[in-house]
mmCIF file of all heavy atoms in Angstrom:
data_model
loop_
_atom_site.group_PDB
_atom_site.id
_atom_site.type_symbol
_atom_site.label_atom_id
_atom_site.label_comp_id
_atom_site.label_asym_id
_atom_site.label_seq_id
_atom_site.Cartn_x
_atom_site.Cartn_y
_atom_site.Cartn_z
ATOM 1 N N VAL A 21 -3.760 3.250 0.795
ATOM 2 C CA VAL A 21 -2.529 3.066 0.020
ATOM 3 C C VAL A 21 -2.374 4.319 -0.825
ATOM 4 O O VAL A 21 -3.219 4.636 -1.652
ATOM 5 C CB VAL A 21 -2.574 1.809 -0.860
ATOM 6 C CG1 VAL A 21 -1.394 1.791 -1.828
ATOM 7 C CG2 VAL A 21 -2.573 0.547 -0.028
ATOM 8 N N PHE A 47 -8.881 -4.471 -2.381
ATOM 9 C CA PHE A 47 -8.633 -3.353 -1.468
ATOM 10 C C PHE A 47 -9.872 -3.072 -0.651
ATOM 11 O O PHE A 47 -9.825 -2.864 0.571
ATOM 12 C CB PHE A 47 -8.205 -2.114 -2.244
ATOM 13 C CG PHE A 47 -6.786 -2.157 -2.733
ATOM 14 C CD1 PHE A 47 -6.485 -2.201 -4.083
ATOM 15 C CD2 PHE A 47 -5.728 -2.141 -1.842
ATOM 16 C CE1 PHE A 47 -5.184 -2.256 -4.537
ATOM 17 C CE2 PHE A 47 -4.395 -2.186 -2.272
ATOM 18 C CZ PHE A 47 -4.136 -2.238 -3.633
ATOM 19 N N ASP A 105 17.163 8.284 -13.054
ATOM 20 C CA ASP A 105 16.031 8.126 -13.970
ATOM 21 C C ASP A 105 14.865 9.038 -13.622
ATOM 22 O O ASP A 105 13.731 8.812 -14.002
ATOM 23 C CB ASP A 105 15.573 6.665 -14.039
ATOM 24 C CG ASP A 105 15.407 6.042 -12.644
ATOM 25 O OD1 ASP A 105 15.604 6.764 -11.672
ATOM 26 O OD2 ASP A 105 15.103 4.858 -12.598
ATOM 27 N N THR A 112 8.818 12.400 -9.782
ATOM 28 C CA THR A 112 8.749 11.676 -8.501
ATOM 29 C C THR A 112 9.222 10.252 -8.692
ATOM 30 O O THR A 112 9.158 9.708 -9.797
ATOM 31 C CB THR A 112 7.301 11.658 -8.008
ATOM 32 O OG1 THR A 112 6.464 11.107 -9.011
ATOM 33 C CG2 THR A 112 6.817 13.024 -7.582
ATOM 34 N N ILE A 113 9.734 9.686 -7.622
ATOM 35 C CA ILE A 113 10.069 8.254 -7.627
ATOM 36 C C ILE A 113 8.815 7.464 -7.306
ATOM 37 O O ILE A 113 7.800 8.036 -6.933
ATOM 38 C CB ILE A 113 11.201 7.967 -6.609
ATOM 39 C CG1 ILE A 113 10.895 8.631 -5.261
ATOM 40 C CG2 ILE A 113 12.540 8.443 -7.135
ATOM 41 C CD1 ILE A 113 11.955 8.410 -4.222
ATOM 42 N N ASP A 120 -2.610 3.640 8.274
ATOM 43 C CA ASP A 120 -3.660 2.916 8.991
ATOM 44 C C ASP A 120 -4.813 3.840 9.412
ATOM 45 O O ASP A 120 -4.762 5.052 9.151
ATOM 46 C CB ASP A 120 -3.043 2.151 10.183
ATOM 47 C CG ASP A 120 -2.629 3.034 11.354
ATOM 48 O OD1 ASP A 120 -2.998 4.235 11.391
ATOM 49 O OD2 ASP A 120 -1.933 2.531 12.257
ATOM 50 N N LEU A 149 -0.327 -6.568 8.395
ATOM 51 C CA LEU A 149 -0.548 -5.494 9.384
ATOM 52 C C LEU A 149 -1.889 -5.637 10.081
ATOM 53 O O LEU A 149 -1.987 -5.491 11.304
ATOM 54 C CB LEU A 149 -0.473 -4.133 8.657
ATOM 55 C CG LEU A 149 0.926 -3.685 8.203
ATOM 56 C CD1 LEU A 149 0.805 -2.453 7.310
ATOM 57 C CD2 LEU A 149 1.829 -3.396 9.396
ATOM 58 N N THR A 174 7.815 -12.329 22.913
ATOM 59 C CA THR A 174 7.409 -11.732 24.195
ATOM 60 C C THR A 174 6.256 -12.484 24.837
ATOM 61 O O THR A 174 5.886 -12.194 25.991
ATOM 62 C CB THR A 174 6.997 -10.271 23.988
ATOM 63 O OG1 THR A 174 5.990 -10.216 22.935
ATOM 64 C CG2 THR A 174 8.176 -9.415 23.590
#
Side-chain angles (χ1 to χ4, degrees):
V21 170
F47 285 114
D105 47 3
T112 54
I113 47 181
D120 73 13
L149 289 170
T174 53

